[in-house]
Amino acid sequence: MDQFKSMTEFQFPFQSTYTELPEVFFSKLSPTPVADPDIVIFNQKLADEIGLDLSQINEEEKTNFFSGNLLPKGGKPFAQAYAGHQFGNFTMLGDGRALMLGEHLTPSGQRLDFQFKGSGRTPYSRGGDGRAALGPMLREYVISEAMHNLGIPTTRSLAVVSTGEKVYRENELPGAILTRIAASHIRVGTFEFASLHEDKAILQSLLDYLIKRHFPGIKEMSNQPLALLEAVIEQQADLISQWMRVGFIHGVMNTDNMALSGETIDYGPCAFMDLFAPDTVFSSIDQKGRYAYANQPYIAQWNVARLAESLLPLMHSKREEAIEMAEDSLNAFEEIYKNKWLSMMGSKLGLAKTSAGDENLVTELLDIMHQNGSDYTNTFRDLSKPELPNEKIFTSEKFRSWHTRWKERLGKEKNGLESSFARMRSVNPAVIPRNHRVEEALEAGEKGDLDPLSSLLKAIENPYQDGDHLMPYQSPPEPSEKVYQTFCGT
Ligand code: AMP
Ligand code: MG
């Protein structure tokens, strides 16, 4: 590794509590240096937010740092081991192209993982090259930042550096490294990996670590694995209902892509839905629609069931009893989700609190939107405008009748119409990163033109605020602009 500069004065106070776990959970190794790094985008706002002090290094050193060419003194990077169900099939995985630099403590004491994605091969790379292409890393940057701005728990993106090297997929593509900031990277698949060892101590150590880091309240509970399962059910039901609110489709909800921090993680072939259609799929590798928009809650429940299976040995010494306990909790997922979904959809319609009768109001509107091929984002945003714009859906008979009933229902809200409309504007975005705009920005970015990317990032900065500058980003794609498929680009 003679490309590493020896910079004895460069220190970074990374911690690595994760490496106190049994050694099966990680492999220590350094990033593979790259030929000619260049910072494509750096998230200064995030750096400030998390109290990252880079004042001791100059621009060149910063570029080298974020490309893995310059390691801070005392840094002990490592790759994490995990397994997972991919499209329903169990596989051994692990960070095949990612490396944890360590944990960063923010000024307020929050512990955050600092991870490179695309930093070279690891013991878990299988046949892969350990590298990432610029387009998909920019996609993760844009979408994760958009999710954050939309108020949805997510990993963040700190930097994208081009490597000056090519990666070979279907085509030759420019290589890149993304720096990801996350509450942690413990996945459902990490527990699947732990349970494979059939060693309670290994499993227990991961559970203890997760509880300490994310669920400190569970420490006091008598059945901690069961309490954890219930907390994760609550957390994932919450997260998915937020995805459904903004029309987000993750695209690869494999168990290794479900983080137990409750953050959205691993932005591959993800996209936001334009026209409302429950069966919308973008991912080129999801041919059966397993991860379609409306399937996401069922898949979350399926994934959480894999977590439950992994935890069984810790729940009860008798397997049958453990299964019964886990099943009772898992069976509650549906109702927990449904209640969260209804209250979220109610808020999209300006309702402070929903009751059973409101469900029809929600599903009927969604049906009318589906029949009319209406835009999911714009239709909800338009409903809170003083006058409905001239859209096909608003002239239909069915909609008019629905609209009258909705207005009647709003009339029963205690705080008046303006308060309902304000609620609607706070949950129905005025703008989302539409797929055709994202693709356009990535395509230009790959060719070295970063202007479309900057404008897109600017447009999604305050997604609940109207503004003339949003106009080019608010229309669904014209038929010629439509992007039907997104690719992982791994
Ligand atoms: P993903 O679809 O990004 O969640 O990746 C699934 C698994 O494949 C993870 O274990 C990744 O680390 C691994 N992987 C993806 N791309 C590569 C690559 N280019 N080289 C090595 N491993 C990879
Ligand atoms: Mg993944």
Side-chain angles (χ1 to χ4, degrees), residues 323-360:
I323 291 175
E324 205 167 306
M325 286 172 167
E327 274 181 351
D328 283 349
S329 300
L330 285 169
N331 288 340
F333 184 99
E334 223 166 297
E335 201 183 331
I336 293 173
Y337 173 76
K338 177 96 182 281
N339 289 337
K340 287 184 192 292
W341 176 83
L342 185 57
S343 118
M344 174 279 290
M345 290 306 290
S347 72
K348 283 175 81 71
L349 290 177
L351 309 180
K353 212 168 171 239
T354 41
S355 51
D358 295 325
E359 192 178 339
N360 272 345

Side-chain angles (χ1 to χ4, degrees), residues 166-381:
K166 298 281 178 218
V167 295
Y168 301 91
R169 303 294 181 254
E170 278 109 59
N171 306 315
E172 188 184 272
L173 300 166
I177 296 174
L178 170 90
T179 302
R180 175 156 77 181
I181 306 293
S184 78
H185 284 84
I186 305 164
R187 305 146 191 268
V188 168
T190 317
F191 275 87
E192 293 181 274
F193 172 83
S195 81
L196 280 181
H197 293 80
E198 299 188 0
D199 177 338
K200 269 198 193 174
I202 286 183
L203 193 54
Q204 185 70 49
S205 65
L206 184 64
L207 179 66
D208 290 345
Y209 183 86
L210 178 71
I211 288 176
K212 185 161 182 218
R213 193 152 169 187
H214 293 300
F215 301 91
I218 289 180
K219 190 102 191 59
E220 310 307 319
M221 309 268 185
S222 60
N223 191 330
Q224 295 183 13
L226 189 64
L228 175 81
L229 178 63
E230 287 172 359
V232 169
I233 286 171
E234 198 63 40
Q235 173 204 64
Q236 292 300 324
D238 250 335
L239 182 64
I240 307 299
S241 76
Q242 297 301 312
W243 291 2
M244 304 304 271
R245 173 169 67 82
V246 297
F248 175 73
I249 303 168
H250 184 287
V252 263
M253 287 178 72
N254 296 328
T255 56
D256 52 302
N257 292 337
M258 184 182 261
L260 297 174
S261 60
E263 290 181 338
T264 313
I265 194 170
D266 270 1
Y267 294 91
C270 56
F272 287 77
M273 175 170 65
D274 293 299
L275 310 186
F276 178 73
D279 59 353
T280 307
V281 178
F282 286 98
S283 167
S284 62
I285 53 171
D286 189 7
Q287 270 143 16
K288 292 190 183 143
R290 179 180 168 93
Y291 300 140
Y293 173 75
N295 267 357
Q296 297 186 122
Y298 302 105
I299 293 295
Q301 184 182 24
W302 192 90
N303 288 351
V304 177
R306 306 289 78 74
L307 173 69
E309 276 166 9
S310 308
L311 289 169
L312 289 177
L314 301 181
M315 263 181 216
H316 199 284
S317 53
K318 291 202 185 99
R319 196 172 160 84
E320 299 71 42
E321 304 252 354
I323 291 175
E324 205 167 306
M325 286 172 167
E327 274 181 351
D328 283 349
S329 300
L330 285 169
N331 288 340
F333 184 99
E334 223 166 297
E335 201 183 331
I336 293 173
Y337 173 76
K338 177 96 182 281
N339 289 337
K340 287 184 192 292
W341 176 83
L342 185 57
S343 118
M344 174 279 290
M345 290 306 290
S347 72
K348 283 175 81 71
L349 290 177
L351 309 180
K353 212 168 171 239
T354 41
S355 51
D358 295 325
E359 192 178 339
N360 272 345
L361 205 59
V362 171
T363 53
E364 273 175 43
L365 175 64
L366 291 177
D367 282 346
I368 300 169
M369 283 168 64
H370 192 193
Q371 283 157 19
N372 282 274
S374 307
D375 186 76
Y376 184 65
T377 303
N378 293 349
T379 306
F380 277 102
R381 188 77 184 180

Side-chain angles (χ1 to χ4, degrees), residues 82 86 92-98 117 120-122 124-132 169 187 252 254 256-257 266-269 285 488-490:
Y82 51 86
Q86 298 189 300
M92 290 298 279
L93 296 161
D95 288 336
R97 55 165 174 170
K117 194 166 168 179
R121 288 181 52 83
T122 77
Y124 316 110
S125 296
R126 299 174 289 161
D129 60 2
R131 291 299 187 191
R169 303 294 181 254
R187 305 146 191 268
V252 263
N254 296 328
D256 52 302
N257 292 337
D266 270 1
Y267 294 91
I285 53 171
C488 274
T490 47

